[in-house]
Amino acid sequence: MAGLAKVLVSEEEVDRQAEQDVLAEARDVVADFEVVLQRVRTGDMDGAAARRKLYQDASILRLKARTVSIGGLGPLTHRLEEYLAGIESIDG
């Protein structure tokens, strides 16, 4: 029984870890946005392809943000996804 106690994790710890994972994902997405925008500016990536990539990343982040309770992250990711869905291309 003592070995089992070491394996069990509290609900709060699971929630905390999920929030940390989503925040790490958000940081990665923002860093990737910067790289994609730089590639558009230098002509290394087409604006329509950049929009598709950013939209895909924003959609994934929005879905992950729905699994945690981080104030403001859900609406922010939803609006970002809506914005990217409404444009055809990213201009450098």
Side-chain angles (χ1 to χ4, degrees):
M1 189 70 157
L4 182 61
K6 292 180 183 179
V7 175
L8 295 178
V9 178
S10 70
E11 184 177 339
E12 291 82 16
E13 180 60 24
V14 171
D15 289 344
R16 189 192 67 72
Q17 184 60 49
E19 289 174 2
Q20 292 303 312
D21 290 346
V22 170
L23 289 174
E25 177 75 17
R27 284 185 209 98
D28 291 345
V29 166
V30 169
D32 195 43
F33 271 33
E34 291 178 16
V35 170
V36 169
L37 293 174
Q38 185 60 32
R39 289 183 66 198
V40 170
R41 285 185 202 106
T42 62
D44 189 40
M45 182 179 242
D46 174 74
R51 197 243 15 127
R52 285 190 302 273
K53 170 74 170 123
L54 297 179
Y55 177 78
Q56 180 182 20
D57 290 348
S59 294
I60 292 168
L61 182 59
R62 181 184 61 82
L63 291 173
K64 289 182 178 184
R66 291 174 63 184
T67 66
V68 297
S69 298
I70 299 174
L73 186 59
L76 177 67
T77 57
H78 181 77
R79 287 184 182 186
L80 177 60
E81 183 184 32
E82 282 184 334
Y83 171 77
L84 292 168
I87 62 174
E88 292 182 24
S89 180
I90 302 291
D91 296 328

